[in-house]
Amino acid sequence: MSISDLSSVCGSASMATPQDFPGLLELPTELIDTIISYLTPLEIVGLSLVCRKLLGHATDDIHWHRHVLSSLPGNKIKSPYPCKTWRELFVAHHQYWFLTKYKVWFCDRSLTGQVVIARYDERRGCIEGYRLLAIRSRDGSEPWAAKPDVHIHYFEPNLTLHLDKPILQFNVDSLENLMRISLSSPDSRTRATRRFFPEHPMRYSHGSDPRFSTFVLAKPLEERDLARHMDDHYPYGLVWPPPTVPATHRVLGHPADIAGGLSHDQITSSIWRPSNRSEVSNLTFRIRQWMELGLPTIGFHIGEEIVTYSTLDPALYTPTPERPWRGIWVGDYSMHGCEFLLINQPDVEEEGYKEPLVRLESESDEEFHARFLSEKVYRGRLEAIKLTGDPNVPRGEYTFLADDLGADGFVCNAQEPPFQGARVVKSRGHVAEIGFITDRYIDSQLILVSHNRLAQYWVEYGHISFFERVDIDRFLVPS
């Protein structure tokens, strides 16, 4: 329900007699609060300007508590500390809550990129983002007993956040918030205003990084601009995220090693940055970094770069009974180390409505489970998309594809350990020379070990590598 909807309700109430329909302000407190629960934060602010009574409802902490928690999936904090109220906490980070709401961010930096987990630390009232790392606990391989000339690589990854070097950090006591609180105080003679700034400095709490960083809000490309910039081949006209990743909108990126340095005209162009809040993307952002030589006022910048980040629709990495391999995964890439992937299982278009699968009276549990796998699970396409990459196949590219998990792609049910009982389907592995030159797809086989573990048999290279699901939520609550 929007403010215009509320206005129509108020208008109808004024035309009706008291016996027919009570006015909005005459409703019980609980009903007014229920109506407000459908409003966005900006709509609540607009409602607070109507009258004193609605101002009281709009500033009630129950609404701001709800909006803070809705931006913190997997981290149900108990207190607004260090702020006094939930409303004060929401306002302090009002431009950054989308970072924790979507939590997973991947970028276009170089060929490798990186994955960042955004979270909130209630001990400090801080929104922070750290790079997600994966390290193999042991290297090496062993021959496959069924085919001694094929080697199975060990894969026992250890995942952690690089806590020594935050990528994002926004504190409640930032200069912006201190100025707002000062100007809003009763003693201030200056009226507090909220001008829109698309770029915000970040003040890191550590001193090991000599770079300066700013957080830059992004503006989605309009359809005509997207069609004009997007190319069919890498680097896709610098559009981010690339077309392999499903997204509701995209922006222009500018990786320094591919596109060179940025000009002032590019940074300030209307296609690059938003001019007001309505143009801001909540699915992408940029970080501008540089080093400064000399005194701050007379020095000069060197090594300036802009890195563009995008997130994923949670539906893409949330598994369902019928799409059980959807998720964010980590894979073994031999000498390149561990890399992160999005396993995407697009929905299969049904020809007309089909009734949900129901167990027949004559079926046993095992027979029904087998029929469910055959008709609902083992069908459609599976796409493995790199969220981080390497010098051969970069971030944003397919690393392997299984065109059909069903009968058309079926190879066999594995009989040999360690894969006995696993379904094996045809796949295509993406390989290239260093620098992503002469890329091609080679025949391979995907082994569906379980819903949390996959194996890819690179037939031409004679080795098998593993992939494991990543539990993102375990990194959301600071310990």
Side-chain angles (χ1 to χ4, degrees):
M1 181 178 292
S2 66
I3 294 297
S4 59
D5 297 326
L6 285 174
S7 299
S8 65
V9 171
C10 293
S12 300
S14 62
M15 296 173 61
T17 63
Q19 293 80 8
D20 296 331
F21 192 80
L24 174 63
L25 301 182
E26 297 171 0
L27 293 175
T29 298
E30 294 79 4
L31 283 181
I32 296 177
D33 285 335
T34 300
I35 293 172
I36 294 176
S37 70
Y38 289 92
L39 302 184
T40 66
L42 285 179
E43 290 171 340
I44 293 177
V45 172
L47 184 70
S48 70
L49 303 177
V50 174
C51 65
R52 289 183 181 274
K53 182 171 182 178
L54 291 180
L55 171 63
H57 283 279
T59 54
D60 192 318
D61 242 18
I62 187 176
H63 304 300
W64 301 102
H65 182 207
R66 181 178 62 254
H67 283 298
V68 168
L69 292 188
S70 69
S71 301
L72 299 175
N75 184 12
K76 301 303 181 184
I77 61 175
K78 306 296 184 183
S79 164
Y81 177 85
C83 297
K84 296 179 180 179
T85 66
W86 291 102
R87 180 174 178 271
E88 182 182 337
L89 176 60
F90 183 87
V91 172
H93 291 309
H94 77 284
Q95 294 193 88
Y96 312 120
W97 287 118
F98 73 94
L99 297 171
T100 57
K101 180 178 181 179
Y102 291 105
K103 62 193 175 185
V104 182
W105 301 87
F106 62 104
C107 74
D108 66 347
R109 188 177 189 182
S110 189
L111 296 177
T112 55
Q114 59 188 16
V115 170
V116 170
I117 304 298
R119 65 185 189 177
Y120 177 77
D121 189 343
E122 67 176 323
R123 300 168 300 183
R124 298 178 291 128
C126 176
I127 289 178
E128 54 193 11
Y130 296 100
R131 184 179 179 185
L132 182 62
L133 302 176
I135 303 172
R136 288 188 296 247
S137 60
R138 63 169 175 164
D139 295 321
S141 63
E142 62 182 25
W144 188 13
K147 296 181 179 180
D149 57 333
V150 176
H151 277 251
I152 302 175
H153 289 261
Y154 305 130
F155 190 52
E156 299 169 2
N158 293 321
L159 274 66
T160 185
L161 296 180
H162 189 10
L163 298 177
D164 294 335
K165 190 175 180 181
I167 305 298
L168 298 164
Q169 192 166 61
F170 302 101
N171 300 296
V172 166
D173 63 347
S174 66
L175 178 61
E176 178 190 9
N177 283 325
L178 292 177
M179 291 177 61
R180 174 181 54 80
I181 294 171
S182 175
L183 293 175
S184 300
S185 67
D187 298 332
S188 175
R189 297 183 179 180
T190 305
R191 182 180 178 184
T193 59
R194 278 201 168 272
R195 295 183 59 192
F196 175 76
F197 295 101
E199 189 164 352
H200 307 264
M202 284 191 289
R203 177 169 57 87
Y204 296 128
S205 60
H206 67 92
S208 61
D209 194 339
R211 295 175 299 174
F212 290 81
S213 295
T214 60
F215 177 82
V216 187
L217 297 169
K219 178 182 178 180
L221 285 170
E222 297 182 7
E223 287 297 328
R224 64 176 185 275
D225 294 321
L226 180 61
R228 180 163 56 91
H229 285 278
M230 179 78 82
D231 290 337
D232 294 333
H233 305 288
Y234 179 84
Y236 309 105
L238 305 181
V239 170
W240 191 256
T244 52
V245 180
T248 56
H249 64 241
R250 307 178 195 276
V251 299
L252 279 180
H254 202 96
D257 58 333
I258 298 174
L262 274 165
S263 68
H264 180 266
D265 290 341
Q266 286 176 304
I267 296 175
T268 57
S269 68
S270 59
I271 196 176
W272 181 268
R273 64 162 60 191
S275 59
N276 56 66
R277 289 184 177 86
S278 65
E279 294 180 345
V280 173
S281 166
N282 65 344
L283 303 177
T284 55
F285 67 88
R286 302 183 180 95
I287 292 180
R288 187 161 71 100
Q289 298 176 326
W290 70 92
M291 295 182 66
E292 195 164 290
L293 298 183
L295 297 175
T297 55
I298 60 175
F300 60 92
H301 292 184
I302 63 169
E304 181 170 342
E305 67 171 353
I306 289 186
V307 181
T308 304
Y309 286 80
S310 178
T311 190
L312 298 165
D313 183 342
L316 293 175
Y317 59 84
T318 302
T320 67
E322 297 179 0
R323 303 288 177 267
W325 290 284
R326 282 179 179 169
I328 295 173
W329 294 63
V330 60
D332 178 22
Y333 284 84
S334 188
M335 65 184 219
H336 295 307
C338 300
E339 299 179 23
F340 294 101
L341 326 171
L342 167 68
I343 298 290
N344 180 36
Q345 285 187 270
D347 288 322
V348 178
E349 294 186 6
E350 302 281 3
E351 296 181 0
Y353 174 76
K354 291 190 175 182
E355 294 286 344
L357 208 60
V358 178
R359 177 182 168 183
L360 304 176
E361 292 184 3
S362 59
E363 281 184 318
S364 66
D365 290 341
E366 293 77 11
E367 291 171 335
F368 174 69
H369 181 66
R371 188 162 65 91
F372 178 80
L373 291 176
S374 174
E375 296 186 23
K376 295 294 184 179
V377 177
Y378 295 143
R379 60 200 299 261
R381 176 182 171 98
L382 185 147
E383 305 170 344
I385 306 162
K386 287 193 171 189
L387 299 179
T388 59
D390 54 61
N392 292 79
V393 179
R395 75 289 180 278
E397 293 293 323
Y398 293 121
T399 181
F400 61 81
L401 296 167
D403 294 313
D404 184 24
L405 300 181
D408 290 343
F410 179 74
V411 175
C412 67
N413 288 316
Q415 303 298 321
E416 306 85 1
F419 307 113
Q420 60 265 41
R423 186 181 181 88
V424 182
V425 297
K426 299 175 186 176
S427 63
R428 295 179 288 135
H430 199 182
V431 299
E433 302 295 329
I434 291 179
F436 196 44
I437 299 172
T438 61
D439 68 301
R440 61 193 176 97
Y441 286 90
I442 62 174
D443 290 337
S444 56
Q445 295 178 0
L446 181 63
I447 306 171
L448 306 176
V449 180
S450 72
H451 294 165
N452 296 317
R453 191 170 173 90
L454 297 170
Q456 172 79 345
Y457 174 22
W458 305 83
V459 177
E460 184 175 316
Y461 296 146
H463 69 82
I464 296 175
S465 55
F466 285 101
F467 301 84
E468 286 192 1
R469 183 185 300 278
V470 176
D471 180 11
I472 294 297
D473 288 352
R474 61 177 278 217
F475 301 104
L476 298 182
V477 181
S479 57

